[in-house]
Amino acid sequence: MTKVLLTGASGFIAKHILRELLEKGYAVRASIRSERRKAEIQALFPEAEIEFATLDLSKDDGWDTALSGVDVLMHTASPFPLAEPKDPQELIRPAVDGTLRALKAAKAAGVDRVIMTSSCVAIYKDASKPKMMPSDEGNWTTADAPYVSAYEASKTLAEKAAWDFVAQTPEIALTTINPGLVFGPAMDEYYGTSLNIVDQMMNGQMPMVPNMHMVTVDVRDVARMHVAAINLEATKGERFIASSDAMSFLELGQSIKATIPDAKTPKRIAPDWLLRAMALFAKDVRAITPNLGRNLLCSNKKAPKTFGMQFIPTRDAVVASAQSVRAFGK
């Protein structure tokens, strides 16, 4: 039986990947950061035989043991904050070092298949193209550009580090999955940043929204792509944008309102000048302003052809998110 080490197994995306792996009959070793995270996973899969490994992206301890006897490394672990940190290296170093730490341990253990969760943020801010031109898998975000956030830089540099590593280690076949903003159903109340945006909209914490479109995808599609890539020869050595379509922040609020009538969703678009003024003292707004007047759309043509799939519509993903937020009562 093929054994998979799934890093960051308690994450929103990773829990869906874990379910997909178990349903497809894979043996899973799940990496966690604490016993509390282990309990979360066991509560979701009480009947499953899951091995656990406690790993830290910033420490060497345990990686060699965790990858011993493993056939596939599925690396999803990476920090994803709502607000920009004071020091970008707080995100960049764990993402890059953790990726290389996992890959080096995989090489030492003889693991020759790696599936890595990257992001559209590693694609859509390429300084070499016009800023209003949409992007595809051939584009790379310019990590040191002034309009690139710490999170965007961390995902870009971590993915580049992975590709650079396997270029020197040809025995490892790497695939990266690059999702847009991930919506869809939560499996428990620990659903992380992307659904927190839905939560904030529902609770009236966003009286106005920026004039922006988001690249979006359902978490179930992201999970299916990760697992399908394991044995799909055409995915080796390739990166894939995971995106159903695009939705504006205002449309996001409208979709939520149609599903949850009493949700306090925003009805107005904030002028760009107001957001730039607010960014002077609000960290979460500061993270948005570099995206104003920029096309963040990414082509989704490659993945359906290679995987033979159709993406779940964004509205369905958003509806599932809103229903989850309401069900879990956060």
Side-chain angles (χ1 to χ4, degrees), residues 114-178:
V114 177
I115 318 294
M116 176 178 168
T117 312
S118 185
S119 174
C120 280
V121 305
I123 291 175
Y124 60 40
K125 287 188 178 178
D126 188 337
S128 69
K129 70 173 184 65
K131 68 179 184 178
M132 292 309 294
M133 180 185 293
S135 303
D136 61 24
E137 286 87 353
N139 293 113
W140 283 91
T141 288
T142 305
D144 59 355
Y147 48 78
V148 172
S149 71
Y151 174 67
E152 292 165 339
S154 74
K155 297 300 287 187
T156 303
L157 294 172
E159 188 187 347
K160 280 193 169 184
W163 286 114
D164 289 344
F165 183 87
V166 299
Q168 303 301 318
T169 316
E171 64 269 27
I172 294 180
L174 173 66
T175 300
T176 61
I177 308 298
N178 296 61

Side-chain angles (χ1 to χ4, degrees), residues 180 215-218 221 241-246 298 300 310-315 317:
V215 182
T216 54
V217 67
D218 191 290
D221 285 334
I241 290 168
S243 168
S244 172
D245 45 40
C298 297
N300 64 357
Q310 292 296 321
F311 285 109
I312 297 168
T314 289
R315 188 184 181 282

Side-chain angles (χ1 to χ4, degrees), residues 32-53:
I32 51 170
R33 289 177 297 168
S34 67
E35 286 298 311
R36 182 174 71 83
R37 298 298 188 186
K38 179 179 177 180
E40 285 178 27
I41 294 170
Q42 289 175 322
L44 288 173
F45 306 100
E47 305 299 323
E49 295 182 7
I50 303 170
E51 296 180 20
F52 289 92

